[in-house]
Amino acid sequence: MNTLYEAFCKTAETYPEHAFLCVPPLKKRNYYPDGIEFTYRQVADQVDRIMQTYTNAGYGFGQRVGFLLENRPEYVFHLIALNALGISCVPINPDYRHEEILYQMSHSDADLVVTLDDRLEDIKAVAEARERPLRVVSDNDFFENLPSPDNLPGAGTAGLMTEASLLYTSGTTGRPKGCILNNDYHLIAANWYADMSGLIQIRPGKERLYNPLPLFHMNAAIVSLGCMLVTGGCLIIPDRFHPSGWWQDVNETKATIIHYLGVVPPMLLNQPDNELERSHSVRFGIGGGVDPDLHGVFEDRYGFPLYEVWGMTETGRIFNVNSEPRQIDTRAFGRPYGDFDAKIADENGHELPRGEQGELLVRAVGENPRKGFFAGYLNNEDATEEAWAGGWFHTGDTVVQDETGMLYFVDRKKNIIRRSGENIAAAEVEAAMQAHEAIAQIAVIAAPDDIREEEVMACIVLMEGFDNTQELARELFEFAFAKLAYFKPPGWVLFVDSLPTTSTQKIQKAQIFDVDVNPTEAPGIYDFRKLKKKQRAIAI
């Protein structure tokens, strides 16, 4: 197989009447309220129709199309159709605001955005603000009124090295970086998941995988989707994670595998006993970040194991705990195997003895250490080469490896805050808030959170003439909320007299609080976590 489309066609020939995509019923949703399933044959028909529409309008090889389609089957229809034509998809986080989408569409140089009707005006505003023309069409108007591209497509046909997706991932420099993912990456990631073996057995033509994670992340859109696509399984796509309705969804959709993040187990365990929670068909769960104190509790209550894995957008492949003992009272996430190699290194890239903490470095075994990884950061060769210093990809995660080769997660080296599965760059939040006239200095850090793993915390030195008040703290929160996706603004705001700095005035975040201090217990801190909700609207 040279493309994701070819892999899909092969599976569709083998399992034409098997379910490929499933939407659980949700009466509050404004699409498919009663739920729906699409077979491989039905998806193939949709893909053919979409391909023809793109071709007739003049789209082709080498172009990019942005999607603002949320967690809907149409996302997958368009992804496969574009892949057949050698066109890359650029998924848009539906929680992004104007400036965030404008940056992404400008940086990616997308030719078109396909969006939901209720976001059409938002995307048109982005198109008007972008320097180069950006075509926009709603998904309901796609077949009748797809506008032609401003530029002609390139010459060529889709192959292994053709860009298939451009996923944006947070970095330490503020702006997200565009990860170029080609067909080789998509296919290796899909087959790696399908062939993990050991305790994680994917049965061809039999699995139904429930994944509540967003399709603009690699987990759902590449690893999970790809695995089901190459094995004849069914991907179950809820609109998002619903703790109270989780077990009803899982039962009604006959899920055999579930995906989770660290935030999922505690939120499910906090739900009252439900008669459906032990009547399911789930064989196992796959995910990362479950609290060791809750791992066994979850398995005992719900009757199936959670298998911890580790991966990144840049790596495609994942490590996994796929044999006993699983060490569920630790943060073990697997051993290197196959052609996915790892070492624990110091700051100079030198391998450390077993048992010592260091940065996790990974690569592919063989002549090409980058085989199956992302193809690079778009328009950022320096960042790409820095990430691959010494021939190993530097993950930015601090890890320990024991004598058996087992890897244990310790912490994140990079200045990234991980809240409910979302990676938030502290520098991006700082840049958004620094523009407020009351802020002299700001340091955004990760604060511990029992439910969401980490929460955003802003430590702020005020300009002269501004007073430390709850009203001002709320104003600063609202200022950030108007600019950023709802999960990025600070859940905690603390005014401080000064911030520790180096001789070059670089803020030393590690010295703001002592190692054994919980920053959320600082005197005078303001808590805005309850205000971080999707439905809140802020007038700019």
Side-chain angles (χ1 to χ4, degrees):
M1 299 295 105
N2 289 314
T3 67
L4 191 67
Y5 171 72
E6 290 178 4
F8 166 75
C9 290
K10 179 181 178 181
T11 304
E13 290 177 3
T14 306
Y15 301 104
E17 303 309 324
H18 282 215
F20 177 32
L21 301 174
C22 172
V23 177
L26 183 65
K27 298 299 183 182
K28 295 180 181 179
R29 186 169 44 214
N30 60 4
Y31 74 103
Y32 306 131
D34 298 319
I36 195 170
E37 285 197 356
F38 295 91
T39 66
Y40 278 86
R41 185 192 303 278
Q42 289 171 326
V43 173
D45 291 342
Q46 292 281 354
V47 167
D48 287 345
R49 185 183 178 204
I50 292 171
M51 282 172 53
Q52 193 62 53
T53 303
Y54 276 119
T55 301
N56 291 344
Y59 292 89
F61 185 81
Q63 295 181 318
R64 295 190 181 106
V65 173
F67 293 166
L68 206 170
L69 296 173
E70 298 181 350
N71 271 29
R72 306 191 182 204
E74 288 76 11
Y75 179 103
V76 180
F77 302 160
H78 281 265
L79 169 68
I80 298 173
L82 291 176
N83 187 264
L85 301 174
I87 301 172
S88 176
C89 78
V90 188
I92 300 170
N93 184 333
D95 293 319
Y96 273 5
R97 305 295 175 91
H98 175 86
E99 291 297 330
E100 294 165 306
I101 299 175
L102 175 58
Y103 165 75
Q104 188 179 6
M105 291 300 97
S106 297
H107 186 262
S108 66
D109 200 29
D111 295 276
L112 168 75
V113 175
V114 182
T115 180
L116 300 175
D117 271 348
D118 59 2
R119 298 300 300 275
L120 183 60
E121 294 307 314
D122 294 336
I123 300 302
K124 284 183 176 179
V126 169
E128 291 175 2
R130 199 178 81 158
E131 291 186 9
R132 187 171 84 80
L134 174 64
R135 304 302 189 218
V136 181
V137 66
S138 75
D139 62 322
N140 287 331
D141 209 24
F142 175 81
F143 293 107
E144 301 299 328
N145 292 300
L146 176 62
S148 297
D150 182 57
N151 291 335
L152 294 175
T157 56
L160 273 179
M161 296 301 113
T162 302
E163 179 184 317
S165 301
L166 184 66
L167 266 59
Y168 279 77
T169 181
S170 294
T172 59
T173 55
R175 289 293 196 180
K177 296 193 289 289
C179 288
I180 302 171
L181 311 178
N182 56 31
N183 278 305
D184 193 42
Y185 170 103
H186 272 262
L187 293 172
I188 287 177
N191 287 293
W192 185 268
Y193 189 133
D195 298 333
M196 283 191 285
S197 69
L199 296 172
I200 305 175
Q201 293 284 344
I202 306 295
R203 303 167 302 177
K206 295 182 178 181
E207 305 298 356
R208 295 175 64 88
L209 194 162
Y210 184 93
N211 194 326
L213 306 181
L215 285 171
F216 55 82
H217 278 184
M218 65 88 71
N219 183 297
I222 294 173
V223 180
S224 296
L225 172 64
C227 176
M228 293 298 97
L229 185 150
V230 300
T231 62
C234 177
L235 181 66
I236 303 166
I237 312 173
D239 61 332
R240 59 183 178 86
F241 174 48
H242 297 275
S244 62
W246 170 278
W247 293 115
Q248 181 175 347
D249 266 7
V250 167
N251 275 265
E252 290 185 354
T253 59
K254 299 179 175 59
T256 61
I257 305 170
I258 61 99
H259 252 292
Y260 67 90
L261 291 178
V263 69
V264 171
M267 295 188 78
L268 292 180
L269 288 168
N270 285 336
Q271 298 297 311
D273 291 345
N274 185 323
E275 62 180 9
L276 297 174
E277 67 184 37
R278 292 301 292 255
S279 62
H280 55 76
S281 305
V282 177
R283 299 169 54 229
F284 55 82
I286 299 178
V290 60
D291 188 322
D293 292 336
L294 300 179
H295 201 149
V297 175
F298 184 98
E299 294 185 358
D300 290 342
R301 177 171 170 179
Y302 301 124
F304 61 89
L306 298 178
Y307 298 135
E308 285 282 288
V309 300
W310 175 97
M312 296 176 63
T313 302
E314 288 88 343
T315 67
R317 302 175 187 85
I318 55 179
F319 293 122
N320 58 82
V321 179
N322 61 354
S323 63
E324 297 289 357
R326 291 182 289 126
Q327 303 183 47
I328 63 174
D329 58 342
T330 72
R331 293 195 179 275
F333 62 81
R335 299 177 176 87
Y337 70 101
D339 68 347
F340 194 26
D341 199 7
K343 74 174 180 179
I344 311 304
D346 62 18
E347 293 184 354
N348 297 314
H350 300 139
E351 188 166 9
L352 293 168
R354 298 292 172 93
E356 290 192 20
Q357 294 184 10
E359 184 179 6
L360 174 64
L361 310 186
V362 295
R363 68 178 180 185
V365 176
E367 295 182 359
N368 180 9
R370 304 188 188 190
K371 171 70 174 175
F373 284 72
F374 77 122
Y377 295 119
L378 180 66
N379 300 329
N380 199 339
E381 184 66 21
D382 289 345
T384 303
E385 294 309 311
E386 181 181 356
W388 278 103
W392 292 78
F393 180 76
H394 293 241
T395 69
D397 284 348
T398 300
V399 168
V400 169
Q401 188 173 30
D402 68 16
E403 293 298 329
T404 72
M406 182 65 78
L407 299 163
Y408 304 83
F409 182 79
V410 177
D411 203 350
R412 270 166 292 281
K413 180 181 177 182
K414 296 179 180 180
N415 186 21
I416 291 291
I417 302 160
R418 187 168 178 82
R419 181 187 186 274
S420 295
E422 292 285 355
N423 289 331
I424 303 167
E428 184 180 14
V429 183
E430 289 164 352
M433 296 187 70
Q434 187 69 66
H436 194 283
E437 60 180 356
I439 296 178
Q441 284 184 305
I442 181 171
V444 170
I445 62 174
D449 189 283
D450 291 339
I451 298 297
R452 295 175 176 83
E453 188 178 358
E454 291 178 347
E455 181 57 89
V456 183
M457 178 175 176
C459 302
I460 297 170
V461 178
L462 293 173
M463 295 287 287
E464 187 175 349
F466 289 88
D467 296 324
N468 174 350
T469 64
Q470 184 169 359
E471 290 73 20
L472 178 57
R474 172 69 179 262
E475 179 182 331
L476 294 176
F477 170 84
E478 301 285 13
F479 184 77
F481 195 92
K483 291 186 170 188
L484 301 170
Y486 80 97
F487 53 84
K488 294 181 182 180
W492 299 97
V493 172
L494 177 68
F495 295 125
V496 295
D497 293 332
S498 62
L499 290 168
T501 60
T502 65
S503 58
T504 58
Q505 297 305 301
K506 181 179 180 180
I507 296 173
Q508 296 180 297
K509 295 183 180 181
Q511 295 184 17
I512 298 174
F513 297 99
D514 292 336
V515 176
D516 57 348
V517 171
N518 183 342
T520 65
E521 297 175 354
I525 195 167
Y526 298 104
D527 183 358
F528 297 112
R529 289 175 294 170
K530 291 183 179 180
L531 298 182
K532 297 179 68 167
K533 298 179 180 179
K534 286 187 177 184
Q535 62 266 33
R536 295 185 70 245
I538 298 293
I540 302 177

